[in-house]
Amino acid sequence: MTEPLLKVEGLKKYFPIRKGVLSRVSGYVKAVDDVSFFVNKGETLGIVGESGCGKSTTGRMLMRLLEPTEGKVVFDGKELTNISNDDMRKARREIQMVFQDPYASLNPRHTIEKILEEPLIVHGLGDAKSRKKKVRELLEIVGLSSYHAKRYPHQFSGGQRQRIGIARALMTNPKLIIADEPVSALDVSIQSQVLNLMQDLQKDLQLTYIFIAHDLGVVRHISDRVGVMYLGKMVEITESELLYDKPLHPYTQALLSAVPVPDPNFVRDQILIKGDIPSPSNPPSGCTFHTRCPFKMDVCTTVVPKLEEAEPGHFVACHLYGERAALINR
Amino acid sequence: MVGFAPKQTDILAKEDKVAGPWKEAWRSFKKNKVAVVGAGIVLFFTILALIGPWIAPQGLNEQDLPNRLLKPSSEFWLGTDHLGRDILSRIIHGARISLSVGFFSVIGSVVVGSILGIIAGYYGKWIDTIISRIFDIMLAFPSILLAIAVVSVLGPSLQNALIAIAVINIPNFGRLIRSKVLSIKEEEYITSAKAIGMRDVRILFSHILPNSMAPVIVQGTLAIASAIIEAAALGFLGLGAQAPSAEWGKMLADARVNFINAPWTMIFPGIAIMLTVLGFNLMGDGMLDALDPRMKN
């Protein structure tokens, strides 16, 4: 087995809650709490979860747009979490990001050419002429026309802007692209176009994606492997097909049962989870899902389940599986 | 079928020219008649200030005591003052003083205010607290009182009045820029600029500053108007321009003694101040409409 392109170990992000005149720290919001995973070269890892589960925070920490509270990020054999800010800035050439809101992520006062040229200028790549040439090449690659270069962002539709966002991420020939909900702001008809573009680019340019989304259908379409997050923790991570065919974690099962099926006669066997997502500033003890879990056991309220391999290549953090389950079942 | 397809080369050869945000703002400014009138007044006084000394019918300080306090006539269009000086000529000379005080004091406050505002807004934390509290303290004084205090420390002169007016306007611009930076800093295109590996300084100057300039330009135009009034007020109080300067406020002060017998000595400089201020205000309002993103589609 080859060395993964990106390895994340025990990543944590605690946001302090400050109170009072002296802004004393009165607690922490555990946005991301001990998340570990890896991404192989050339594959797409999907990360799904409800809003506020920490998936975007995780994505931002990988690029150190947010400083992790704890944990290690190893990219291409190089640890990113202990290098200086300036080295990190340079390392961003290899890791790029596509943002959720194509209306907000492009500077309204810059032309498309200026927006796309900027990554090259920042990293000192090429001269003025070759930069302009590359801008036009990439516009064509992402399905726009080179004569669009002199236009401003407000003259494009959402889907076109997202293509520009993707082109910008590709300018420096990165190895890894972190896509933070890249299609959730787009119309459904445009979503598939952008997804297909991303898949084509992956094939042509040997890209690796981390694809963050809340739409399970979208993630299934594009991902090789999928990780499910709940309240700052990775609860299940495995091959995409395995996850969709045989979800193990009760939360994943509930999520998948909520995906609409395009068949009017389909009688769904929906698993309803009760209650709201608990506050990450005061997460439940033990397994954070125990407050809403239909299969809750006594052990769940006290012991935090570890992410363990329940089946080959299928990792899940739940007391129903693994060693402890074997003990209980006996 | 092939004949209907557009020629690929034609499309690629033609890079379309598209109006940038500034050009678009200019277009919508031109549609606003009142604002154009304001801009016209400003332009008129600016030209007066630039070429004044060459077109003034009389010299600036040519005293003609036998002809003192004359009514407006064909010889002296706007009459003469208590030393027999031609008021029209003095108003024309005064335009240069008032406009340059207005312009340079605002430039000064914009530069200093922007630097402080950007530092406060972008870096935040304790440095923001310090700068913001200083602004609060400065804004707690009535501005003309603060200007009087500054001038009395530096000594009365036109130059010191200019400095005083610049100082009192700093917190207005500082706050404006700070709030703008605070909101723009959270925009996703700033995060994306960081994500492509851009340095802080470059983000500041290439993304944050250009996007926060529009309200500053509007506020700056309006501030020129109030700076002209403040300069006139300081001149009137004897803390700004000194005799025999033809500063408009100073002219009003000189006319104080005789204004019952010779109201024109006071009315015409007053009209000059009013017109200039009105011009800048109308222009500023028009710019606000043209540059305000909420007014756009």
Side-chain angles (χ1 to χ4, degrees):
Chain A
M1 198 177 151
T2 50
E3 181 72 4
L5 182 68
L6 182 86
K7 228 164 95 185
V8 177
E9 278 168 29
L11 200 62
K12 286 182 188 174
K13 181 71 193 179
Y14 292 178
F15 292 106
I17 307 166
R18 293 177 193 281
K19 265 192 189 146
V21 197
L22 298 171
S23 355
R24 259 180 310 124
V25 176
S26 66
Y28 291 95
V29 172
K30 298 180 175 177
V32 175
D33 196 6
D34 202 2
V35 165
S36 305
F37 59 89
F38 63 90
V39 189
N40 290 322
K41 208 166 163 33
E43 77 167 355
T44 302
L45 174 75
I47 298 180
V48 284
E50 289 171 79
S51 12
C53 73
K55 53 194 194 298
S56 288
T57 310
T58 306
R60 270 153 212 246
M61 273 195 290
L62 299 182
M63 291 195 77
R64 275 181 57 194
L65 291 173
L66 279 171
E67 287 297 328
T69 311
E70 225 176 85
K72 226 164 91 173
V73 177
V74 183
F75 173 76
D76 213 9
K78 200 167 75 177
E79 194 174 332
L80 296 180
T81 27
N82 60 4
I83 58 176
S84 73
N85 283 337
D86 207 47
D87 286 341
M88 185 62 224
R89 207 174 56 70
K90 286 172 190 145
R92 286 184 186 142
R93 188 183 152 182
E94 308 264 281
I95 313 174
Q96 285 286 309
M97 201 156 179
V98 176
F99 290 87
Q100 171 174 10
D101 187 349
Y103 292 89
S105 63
L106 306 174
N107 187 337
R109 290 194 177 271
H110 285 182
T111 59
I112 302 309
E113 177 165 43
K114 199 165 178 195
I115 290 170
L116 293 183
E117 213 180 6
E118 216 155 31
L120 297 179
I121 297 174
V122 165
H123 294 287
L125 304 170
D127 52 26
K129 210 176 148 197
S130 70
R131 285 199 299 260
K132 292 204 181 347
K133 202 173 144 234
K134 177 132 202 214
V135 166
R136 280 159 182 78
E137 268 172 31
L138 263 162
L139 278 173
E140 301 277 351
I141 288 175
V142 298
L144 296 168
S145 300
S146 54
Y147 66 87
H148 286 140
K150 294 277 188 225
R151 293 196 182 173
Y152 284 86
H154 70 265
Q155 294 168 306
F156 293 93
S157 69
Q160 287 175 318
R161 285 175 187 221
Q162 201 55 296
R163 287 170 191 268
I164 294 164
I166 292 169
R168 173 174 57 188
L170 293 174
M171 287 306 288
T172 55
N173 300 326
K175 290 180 179 152
L176 175 69
I177 289 188
I178 299 166
D180 187 1
E181 307 227 16
V183 296
S184 43
L186 306 176
D187 281 352
V188 179
S189 55
I190 308 295
Q191 282 190 1
S192 56
Q193 289 178 13
V194 172
L195 287 176
N196 290 339
L197 170 70
M198 287 184 73
Q199 281 187 318
D200 292 345
L201 291 171
Q202 182 171 38
K203 242 180 280 162
D204 295 345
L205 305 170
Q206 283 88 48
L207 295 170
T208 307
Y209 287 141
I210 291 179
F211 194 98
I212 299 164
H214 59 250
D215 185 328
L216 287 155
V218 165
V219 168
R220 179 178 203 167
H221 180 72
I222 198 161
S223 307
D224 299 306
R225 285 189 309 126
V226 178
V228 180
M229 283 187 74
Y230 181 77
L231 218 62
K233 286 193 159 69
M234 192 71 87
V235 294
E236 186 165 0
I237 182 165
T238 183
E239 309 280 318
S240 175
E241 269 163 42
L242 216 54
L243 185 96
Y244 283 87
D245 291 344
K246 196 185 163 200
L248 292 182
H249 198 282
Y251 178 65
T252 318
Q253 290 167 1
L255 271 187
L256 287 176
S257 76
V259 175
V261 178
D263 175 5
N265 298 320
F266 178 79
V267 182
R268 70 173 61 238
D269 186 14
Q270 198 166 20
I271 305 167
L272 290 172
I273 43 177
K274 292 179 210 83
D276 286 327
I277 186 163
S279 162
S281 61
N282 185 21
S285 60
C287 172
T288 46
F289 189 58
H290 82 250
T291 49
R292 303 165 83 188
C293 183
F295 309 109
K296 192 185 105 180
M297 300 178 290
D298 290 341
V299 61
C300 299
T301 55
T302 50
V303 182
V304 181
K306 284 199 199 75
L307 193 67
E308 286 172 326
E309 199 163 9
E311 298 169 4
H314 198 155
F315 294 84
V316 62
C318 180
H319 291 307
L320 291 170
Y321 310 97
E323 280 173 42
R324 193 170 292 275
L327 282 173
I328 293 162
N329 291 341
R330 189 141 37 120
Chain B
M1 191 64 199
V2 177
F4 287 103
K7 280 182 194 156
Q8 193 69 20
T9 46
D10 288 348
I11 297 171
L12 290 178
K14 197 181 77 186
E15 296 239 316
D16 52 359
K17 283 266 181 255
V18 170
W22 294 117
K23 255 190 198 145
E24 236 166 56
W26 170 237
R27 202 179 297 159
S28 75
F29 181 81
K30 273 195 299 191
K31 279 187 202 142
N32 188 340
K33 291 282 170 292
V34 179
V36 172
V37 170
I41 296 172
V42 169
L43 193 68
F44 171 74
F45 277 101
T46 310
I47 292 171
L48 217 56
L50 290 175
I51 62 168
W54 290 282
I55 59 161
Q58 310 267 332
L60 170 62
N61 291 318
E62 274 173 24
Q63 298 188 8
D64 186 6
L65 290 175
N67 285 331
R68 58 199 292 269
L69 299 174
L70 287 184
K71 281 200 181 91
S73 63
S74 56
E75 197 189 344
F76 304 104
W77 289 6
L78 303 180
T80 59
D81 70 359
H82 63 292
L83 295 173
R85 295 174 296 194
D86 179 36
I87 290 179
L88 175 64
S89 306
R90 287 179 67 76
I91 286 178
I92 292 172
H93 279 98
R96 173 172 284 196
I97 300 174
S98 284
L99 285 190
S100 50
V101 167
F103 190 72
F104 289 112
S105 67
V106 167
I107 293 271
S109 12
V110 166
V111 170
V112 179
S114 300
I115 293 170
L116 291 175
I118 285 171
I119 293 171
Y122 194 70
Y123 293 101
K125 296 186 183 154
W126 60 270
I127 200 158
D128 177 27
T129 314
I130 291 175
I131 292 175
S132 296
R133 288 303 85 78
I134 291 174
F135 287 167
D136 286 347
I137 291 168
M138 288 175 77
L139 286 169
F141 292 100
S143 59
I144 195 73
L145 202 66
L146 193 61
I148 290 171
V150 173
V151 173
S152 46
V153 171
L154 298 173
S157 79
L158 184 66
Q159 191 194 338
N160 291 344
L162 191 152
I163 294 171
I165 294 163
V167 168
I168 60 175
N169 278 320
I170 288 173
N172 294 327
F173 288 102
R175 277 192 162 186
L176 186 70
I177 291 262
R178 173 181 170 272
S179 70
K180 207 61 199 159
V181 169
L182 277 181
S183 70
I184 290 175
K185 184 169 84 158
E186 300 304 322
E187 294 277 348
E188 210 162 61
Y189 58 82
I190 301 302
T191 318
S192 70
K194 275 186 201 152
I196 64 171
M198 208 181 268
R199 274 176 225 274
D200 271 11
V201 179
R202 198 185 158 97
I203 292 176
L204 220 44
F205 285 100
S206 129
H207 289 281
I208 294 182
L209 204 55
N211 277 295
S212 42
M213 265 356 260
V216 174
I217 290 169
V218 174
Q219 173 78 16
T221 315
L222 297 172
I224 290 179
S226 57
I228 288 172
I229 292 188
E230 276 150 8
L234 287 175
F236 185 82
L237 295 172
L239 295 168
Q242 299 298 306
S245 163
E247 202 271 323
W248 294 340
K250 180 69 187 150
M251 288 172 77
L252 287 182
D254 291 344
R256 210 172 54 223
V257 187
N258 302 309
F259 85 100
I260 306 260
N261 318 334
W264 55 88
T265 53
M266 186 167 263
I267 288 172
F268 293 115
I271 288 178
I273 295 174
M274 191 213 76
L275 268 182
T276 322
V277 169
L278 181 73
F280 275 107
N281 277 331
L282 294 179
M283 192 167 97
D285 279 346
M287 284 163 110
L288 180 65
D289 292 343
L291 291 171
D292 191 345
R294 279 167 299 182
M295 306 292 284
K296 295 223 180 85
N297 39 5

